[in-house]
Amino acid sequence: MVLQMLAALVVFTGCVFWISTKRRDRRLPPGPCGRPLLGHYGMLPKTNIWTYFHALSKQYGNMFRIRVLGHDIVVVGSFDAADALLHKQSNRYSNKPRRRMGELSGLTATLPFMDPGPLFQNARKLFRQELGPRALTQYYHDIERTARSYAQTFVSDPNCECLEHNIDRSMGVLFMKVASGYVVNDDDDDRVLAPVKQLADFAADVLGGMYSIIDRIPLLSALPLWAPGTELLRLAESWRKRLHQIADANAERVREELTSGSPSTSFMGNLYSNSEEFNFDEEQFEFIAVTMTAGGMLPLQSASLTFLTAMARYPGIQKKAQAEVDRVLGGNRLPLMSDRQDLPYVSAIILEVLRWVPLAPLLARNVLEDDEYEGYLIPKGATIVANNWSITRDPKIYPEPHIFRPERFLSLVDDSQDPTTEHPLDPREYAFGYGRRICPGLDFAEAILFMNITHILAVFDILPTDSAKTPTSDEDIEMKTVGAACRVESVQCVLRPRSADALALLGDL
């Protein structure tokens, strides 16, 4: 009798749970059916998943859901939804999905991996204080000098055979100078720059989910390092040590600069001199500063490659930009940061670069509590993903979105435009993140792009290679996955000096 009552209770409880689950599921966003238990595990593409999600948005709407091993992933494909949730409710949507590899390797001490809290808020305040529009002027000379050096690399490498290396080196030299005041020498590549680039690549892989098996099988992270099958744990331990080495080396360079008696001209030096304003201990400060040296390398590389690709594909746009540059510079000097307000078409090109190939096509956040949007339940514990690729390809916002067209943004940057013209959605509203997690170095990144682009336009013509494929009128740009970011699939261009006089402007550094 007791067993029968227990059996009935189990059946009754199971039925109640099943009914409540079905009712809850009916409130969830629609989405494709997966397999029993596994859901969509093993069914999602390993690369360019944003285009797959974009296709699902067309079928299920701008909010849909998939399930992977019982975990709900809610994808939003419109700016209105992403803005309403990740920006306007950023108190609920500021936590990133857990990355145990980030925890094991110590990356959670750097800004991109931090969860919101006092340390996170102070770190963001620190970045904005040093890299905001006003404070950034102290680094204008460094940005201008590095842009000139970057342009000089195309003199020795006009066929762009070492393009990615040259971009990475240029970014590394600038970040090291601005972060610590250290001037990179020609023999510093392996000792100083290579570790920073490797760190940037590793962090991008962690954010991109390359090591997500540790998240799916948490017990793996608890195994001793000597156990078989713990290669990832040993990799994490190796990176923990390397991260400390990079942070300590950066801090030592700053201390050397400060004790030299020269005035501080670096991010870390300025903050060391005013350390009482921020509640950081020495180690926290060093690790936050590491973000400065490695955090922007891949996004700026992507944007640089996008610009070159666009100019090679659209020679009319290139000529129009060069004409604007020539009008302002007169053909007898290189550009300066002070020229920016007089070059609205170049500024529009930068905005179109950020739209055409979004720096972060997908941005994921944890859902900390049940929420509702347009009648759909967003369940606690789910991951919500903003598909920036879908936003950039929305023809209602950007007509003919597959075409590179800077003119669509002129009303945002050119004061001479008709003030009654309706402004398009500014890519900066989503390209650098949302809400509390928007990139605090966005002004710095834009300044770098402006200087690098104007230097190239002033001195070089960007031409497609003989083997470059001519895209059809309705063909979109081909991209590939790089960790959590993306970039153009390939850059098929060569650079040629516009004239001997233009080339002479570069001179010798």
Side-chain angles (χ1 to χ4, degrees), residues 490-503:
S490 63
V491 180
Q492 298 175 315
C493 70
V494 296
L495 274 71
R496 299 290 182 259
R498 296 176 63 191
S499 68
D501 289 341
L503 187 61

Side-chain angles (χ1 to χ4, degrees), residues 268-340:
M268 293 174 67
N270 291 343
L271 296 169
Y272 264 133
S273 302
N274 300 281
S275 58
E276 68 279 354
E277 183 177 345
F278 298 95
N279 188 26
F280 296 139
D281 61 34
E282 181 73 13
E283 184 175 281
Q284 288 173 336
F285 180 78
E286 290 182 7
F287 276 92
I288 291 168
V290 167
T291 305
M292 176 69 217
T293 58
M297 292 193 75
L298 290 181
L300 284 169
Q301 183 201 79
S302 174
S304 300
L305 298 176
T306 300
F307 165 73
L308 293 172
T309 299
M311 294 302 98
R313 281 195 179 192
Y314 296 91
I317 291 173
Q318 181 182 173
K319 294 301 181 187
K320 189 172 180 179
Q322 288 173 328
E324 181 182 71
V325 169
D326 292 345
R327 174 180 56 79
V328 173
L329 305 184
N332 53 31
R333 67 176 177 89
L334 292 173
L336 301 171
M337 284 300 302
S338 56
D339 297 316
R340 191 172 180 180

Side-chain angles (χ1 to χ4, degrees), residues 37 61 145 240 352 373 400 449:
L37 298 179
R145 182 178 175 84
R240 178 179 288 275
E352 183 68 337
Y373 181 75
E400 296 183 297
L449 288 176

Side-chain angles (χ1 to χ4, degrees), residues 168-188:
D168 288 342
R169 190 179 193 284
S170 173
M171 295 300 108
V173 168
L174 178 59
F175 292 163
M176 194 61 64
K177 177 64 171 66
V178 172
S180 66
Y182 183 77
V183 178
V184 174
N185 299 311
D186 291 340
D187 58 352
D188 278 337

Side-chain angles (χ1 to χ4, degrees), residues 418-430:
D418 184 352
T420 63
T421 302
E422 184 178 355
H423 295 324
L425 175 62
D426 190 329
R428 291 170 294 191
E429 295 287 331
Y430 53 83

Side-chain angles (χ1 to χ4, degrees), residues 149 226 240 364 374 440 474 502:
S149 178
W226 51 262
R240 178 179 288 275
E374 293 190 344
D474 60 348

